[in-house]
Amino acid sequence: MKNVGKTIEIAGIKWKVLDKVEQGYLVITEESVGNKSFGSNNNWRESSIRKFLNGEFLNKLKEVFGELPSFERNLLSMDGQTEYGTCIDKVSLLTVDEYRKYRKHLPNTGKWWWLITPDSTPCNNDDWCVRVVSPSGYFYYCNFSYDFGVRPFCIFPFSIFESEEN
C-alpha cells in the first residue's frame, strides 16, 4: 500500500492513487479534465460523460497501457433505489460511497465536480438530480444539465510502479 496517496503523471494528466485492488491501482485525476453536463437524465448508464470517458478518453489511455481492466459500478441512488442497477466501465466517476471512502486522499479542488450517484430514480419521479462535490468538499445535488468538472476514475496496472519497486 506504499503507493496509495501518491501522485503520478500519465498521458499528460496528474493522477492520485486511491487504493490497491486485485486488478491494479484505483486512480482519479487530481483535477477535472474539463466541464461537461452529465447527460439527458441522472442515469450514469446513459450519461454523455460515460460515453466520453469510455470512448475518446479511454482511447488516450490505451495509447499508454493498452487495455485497462473493467470494473462494476453500483448505481444505487441516495434514497436507496436500485432501479438503475449496475454497469461495467473501464473509466468512470466516483460514487458518493467511494468519495467518502477515499476522501482523505481528495483535497478540496475549489471547483464543482460530478459523482455518478443519482438522488433518486424515475420510480420516485426523479431522473434529474445527481450528486456533485462542491469547491469546499461537501457533496450536494444538482440538475444533470449543468456543466461541472469531470474527474476520471479507473484502474491502472501494477506496472506503473515497477521501475520504482525493482
Side-chain angles (χ1 to χ4, degrees):
M1 298 289 271
K2 69 179 183 176
N3 294 313
V4 172
K6 279 192 173 184
T7 298
I8 56 173
E9 188 165 331
I10 306 275
I13 299 169
K14 288 185 179 178
W15 299 83
K16 178 70 80 167
V17 178
L18 298 178
D19 207 350
K20 184 177 181 181
V21 295
E22 188 177 315
Q23 305 107 306
Y25 290 103
L26 290 178
V27 296
I28 187 171
T29 58
E30 283 213 328
E31 296 184 9
S32 171
V33 296
N35 286 0
K36 295 189 177 302
S37 69
F38 194 81
S40 58
N41 60 47
N42 68 354
N43 186 345
W44 173 248
R45 187 186 318 273
E46 300 171 6
S47 170
S48 56
I49 296 174
R50 181 177 185 235
K51 288 176 181 75
F52 163 73
L53 291 177
N54 286 278
E56 178 184 334
F57 190 81
L58 177 60
N59 289 337
K60 183 176 178 180
L61 295 178
K62 282 181 178 180
E63 292 174 12
V64 177
F65 297 115
E67 285 298 320
L68 289 179
S70 299
F71 57 108
E72 186 175 62
R73 310 307 293 136
N74 186 342
L75 305 180
L76 177 70
S77 69
M78 289 299 293
D79 65 350
Q81 297 300 322
T82 58
E83 185 175 349
Y84 292 155
T86 62
C87 65
I88 303 294
D89 287 331
K90 291 184 184 250
V91 185
S92 188
L93 302 178
L94 293 176
T95 65
V96 164
D97 292 333
E98 290 163 341
Y99 176 72
R100 285 189 285 228
K101 181 177 181 178
Y102 300 119
R103 177 67 170 113
K104 66 184 171 194
H105 300 298
L106 298 166
N108 298 343
T109 63
K111 298 179 181 170
W112 292 88
W113 50 283
W114 291 110
L115 300 173
I116 67 171
T117 304
D119 254 28
S120 193
T121 61
C123 72
N124 281 334
N125 296 317
D126 180 358
D127 67 352
W128 60 277
C129 287
V130 185
R131 287 289 153 160
V132 294
V133 177
S134 77
S136 58
Y138 68 90
F139 52 86
Y140 194 68
Y141 66 92
C142 202
N143 186 293
F144 61 77
S145 65
Y146 283 62
D147 283 353
F148 290 122
V150 174
R151 293 184 69 188
F153 171 69
C154 59
I155 301 172
F156 283 172
F158 292 121
S159 62
I160 62 171
F161 290 111
E162 276 180 357
S163 61
E164 284 182 21
E165 294 173 355
N166 292 331

